Amino acid sequence: MRKPREIKEVTFKIGDLSMVPNIVKNSEPADDLEERLTTWMKESDYCWVAFADGEAGCIWGLKIQNIILGHVYLWVHLTNIAKQNEVRFLRGAKKLIYVLAQRYRFINGHLDPKEPKAKRWIPWLGFTIGETQEFELLTGQKMQANVFWMGER
């Protein structure tokens, strides 16, 4: 396995549709990824893109589930850059999650149960991991995924 390149700085910016091609370029090839990311961004209340030395590393978004109760669904797409430098991205993400937890009563999402690293860092970010259910990824793949959440249901 190739050694990840050294990253000097990870920055977060509000995401916009012009960033999608850069995210797709840095990702594993997947059918309709650009279209799916564009759709998810349009359906989201907020989106952020994390950059590693100016290159898109991952994108986060929040889809409103119930605006009155303050329930949102957190989705994340990691590029190869983020996968190779998870710790750097997670430190920034933890600060972002803290801010989101102040704004929303309940944040939930899904994680791949076959990703042992995700099972470690999801609780580190403050989430609880729950039961497994069928879920469709941004790439279009259907899989069994664990639900995770933070806050009051």
Side-chain angles (χ1 to χ4, degrees):
M1 186 173 175
R2 195 173 99 206
K3 183 181 176 187
R5 69 182 174 90
E6 190 65 32
I7 291 177
K8 294 179 183 142
E9 180 182 40
V10 174
T11 55
F12 286 82
K13 296 180 182 174
I14 298 294
D16 66 61
L17 295 175
S18 69
M19 298 173 180
V20 171
N22 193 13
I23 295 162
V24 171
K25 178 188 79 164
N26 293 330
S27 299
E28 294 290 328
D31 291 339
D32 303 327
L33 180 59
E34 187 165 352
E35 182 181 328
R36 287 173 180 277
L37 283 171
T38 299
T39 300
W40 279 64
M41 286 181 78
K42 286 179 179 178
E43 293 175 354
S44 295
D45 192 29
Y46 290 102
C47 290
W48 299 267
V49 177
F51 291 88
D53 300 333
E55 285 191 68
C58 67
I59 182 167
W60 300 64
L62 289 174
K63 291 175 87 171
I64 299 291
Q65 292 179 308
N66 186 318
I67 198 160
I68 294 168
L69 295 177
H71 291 196
V72 292
Y73 180 84
L74 174 66
W75 60 270
V76 179
H77 175 75
L78 302 175
T79 69
N80 297 327
I81 295 166
K83 289 176 183 177
Q84 294 172 354
N85 298 279
E86 288 176 352
V87 173
R88 294 297 303 265
F89 283 89
L90 287 171
R91 287 183 186 137
K94 189 165 189 169
K95 294 173 190 172
L96 180 60
I97 296 296
Y98 176 79
V99 171
L100 296 176
Q102 306 307 307
R103 181 179 174 121
Y104 298 101
R105 265 184 67 162
F106 183 73
I107 304 170
N108 71 92
H110 289 87
L111 73 95
D112 184 344
K114 295 178 228 128
E115 290 287 341
K117 288 181 181 178
K119 281 194 167 189
R120 285 195 310 263
W121 62 257
I122 288 288
W124 182 79
L125 289 171
F127 292 96
T128 300
I129 298 175
E131 70 279 357
T132 301
Q133 56 187 229
E134 187 168 279
F135 177 71
E136 186 174 332
L137 297 169
L138 276 172
T139 58
Q141 277 181 298
K142 288 191 177 177
M143 61 175 278
Q144 294 295 310
N146 289 96
V147 177
F148 64 85
W149 71 88
M150 171 189 294
E152 299 175 30
R153 292 185 187 217

